[in-house]
């Protein structure tokens, strides 16, 4: 009888261990740097009983839609202003779990070597998503190129420009499309993840770039019903580990900065 009980206990322990080892977490991410950072921590999470599956997206909408619809567990690609704007516009209730890094937003050009060389009437490409549009315009304001009606409007669009002394023309595009028009415009305001993916080096190539004090931290995002789950919390801990901090510093050379 004791042997049977011992066997039963061992079987139960093994079953529990297998269940923990097979705990799957499906997370959406844009390719660079988010998916790369997630790939780094996959082995760490595997040792802790979490099987991380990374779904790579090249847009900013579907990762949120699919987490909200419970097709995915979480995502890692966005800033808090973008998330707030998305929730308000789509009626979703996604929440931040932990801040991981900052990608200083920048402006690039193949036609001029400095902002001072921009001619009157030059075309500037900016993201068409509310928070990213505002981020680009606020940076242009700090550079002295325009003035906004509200200098702190995180979701500003070209309609919110109060003064445009050089009559710059603004071309609004989806963020993922911006690197593709670099040859077609005079100044291209590109999110750093897309800039890196396009082979640009923000630290060297950007004509204007946010400082290290940028408030636009990239967050791990989940739903209210799973944000405190053991697996999500293990992921959050791994994303803010010394290993990740060292990886970011070495691989991105200042183009990506740890926010922890």
């Amino acid at each position: 009888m004791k042997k049977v009980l011992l066997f039963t206990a061992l079987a139960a322990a093994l079953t529990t261990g297998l269940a923990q080892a097979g705990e799957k977490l499906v997370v959406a991410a844009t390719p660079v740097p988010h998916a790369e950072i997630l790939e780094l921590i996959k082995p760490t999470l595997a040792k802790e009983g979490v099987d991380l599956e990374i779904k790579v997206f090249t847009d900013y909408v579907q990762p949120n839609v699919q987490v909200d619809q419970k097709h995915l567990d979480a995502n890692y690609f966005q800033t808090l202003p973008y998330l707030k704007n998305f929730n308000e516009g789509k009626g979703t209730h996604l929440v931040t779990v932990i801040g991981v890094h900052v990608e200083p937003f920048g402006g690039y050009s193949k036609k001029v070597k400095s902002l001072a060389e921009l001619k009157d009437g030059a075309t500037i490409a900016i993201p068409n998503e509310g928070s990213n549009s505002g981020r680009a315009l606020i940076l242009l304001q700090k550079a002295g190129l325009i003035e906004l009606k509200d200098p702190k409007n995180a979701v500003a669009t070209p309609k919110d420009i109060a003064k445009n002394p050089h009559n710059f023309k603004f071309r609004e595009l989806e963020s993922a499309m911006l690197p593709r028009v670099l040859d077609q415009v005079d100044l291209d305001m590109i999110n750093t993840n897309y800039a890196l993916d396009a082979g640009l080096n923000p630290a060297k190539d950007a004509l204007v770039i946010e400082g290290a004090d940028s408030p636009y931290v990239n967050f791990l995002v989940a739903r209210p019903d799973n944000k405190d789950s053991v697996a999500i919390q293990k992921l959050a801990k791994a994303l803010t580990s010394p290993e990740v901090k060292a990886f970011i510093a070495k691989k991105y050379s200042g183009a990506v900065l740890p926010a922890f």
Side-chain angles (χ1 to χ4, degrees):
M1 185 65 178
K2 289 183 177 179
K3 289 183 178 180
V4 173
L5 290 173
L6 180 60
F7 177 81
T8 302
L10 287 171
L14 286 172
T15 301
T16 301
L18 288 172
Q20 290 177 344
E23 188 174 12
K24 195 167 189 177
L25 202 56
V26 186
V27 180
T30 45
V32 183
H34 309 84
E36 293 178 340
I37 294 172
L38 288 172
E39 286 288 353
L40 173 75
I41 61 175
K42 277 184 74 171
T44 299
L45 290 171
K47 292 177 183 177
E48 296 182 6
V50 177
D51 177 15
L52 177 63
E53 181 180 346
I54 304 163
K55 294 284 188 180
V56 178
F57 289 80
T58 56
D59 75 287
Y60 288 163
V61 176
Q62 283 303 309
N64 275 342
V65 171
Q66 295 199 30
V67 172
D68 179 66
Q69 295 177 350
K70 299 187 178 181
H71 298 310
L72 302 172
D73 298 304
N75 64 51
Y76 169 40
F77 75 95
Q78 65 194 309
T79 65
L80 184 56
Y82 180 85
L83 176 61
K84 286 182 176 179
N85 193 49
F86 187 93
N87 279 337
E88 290 171 2
K90 302 293 185 181
T92 51
H93 301 88
L94 302 176
V95 294
T96 59
V97 180
I98 198 165
V100 183
H101 72 269
V102 172
E103 300 169 17
F105 192 96
Y108 305 82
S109 179
K110 286 192 174 181
K111 295 187 177 182
V112 298
K113 294 183 179 180
S114 70
L115 296 182
E117 293 180 18
L118 287 172
K119 297 179 180 179
D120 288 356
T123 298
I124 301 176
I126 65 172
N128 64 2
E129 305 95 358
S131 64
N132 285 314
S133 170
R135 188 175 182 182
L137 293 173
I138 288 172
L139 182 57
L140 291 173
Q141 177 179 256
K142 288 182 178 179
L145 298 183
I146 61 170
E147 285 186 27
L148 293 170
K149 296 172 185 175
D150 178 0
K152 296 182 180 180
N153 184 1
V155 292
T157 71
K159 294 179 180 179
D160 297 304
I161 295 175
K163 293 183 180 179
N164 182 8
H166 299 286
N167 296 312
F168 293 131
K169 298 173 183 177
F170 292 91
R171 185 173 174 184
E172 300 172 82
L173 297 168
E174 290 184 11
S175 293
M177 292 292 295
L178 290 168
R180 303 181 191 180
V181 300
L182 185 56
D183 291 327
Q184 304 170 25
V185 299
D186 299 292
L187 184 65
D188 203 352
M189 306 300 290
I190 307 175
N191 295 71
T192 292
N193 60 310
Y194 291 126
L196 291 170
D197 203 32
L200 295 168
N201 184 332
K204 295 180 180 179
D205 300 328
L207 302 188
V208 58
I209 194 165
E210 291 173 337
D213 59 344
S214 169
Y216 294 93
V217 175
N218 281 231
F219 281 86
L220 172 65
V221 168
R223 298 183 304 274
D225 68 286
N226 73 347
K227 70 181 181 68
D228 294 320
S229 69
V230 173
I232 292 289
Q233 289 303 312
K234 285 181 178 179
L235 174 58
K237 183 178 179 181
L239 280 171
T240 52
S241 65
E243 179 187 20
V244 168
K245 181 173 283 189
F247 175 80
I248 289 174
K250 182 177 181 180
K251 184 168 181 66
Y252 303 112
S253 304
V256 178
L257 303 170
F260 57 91

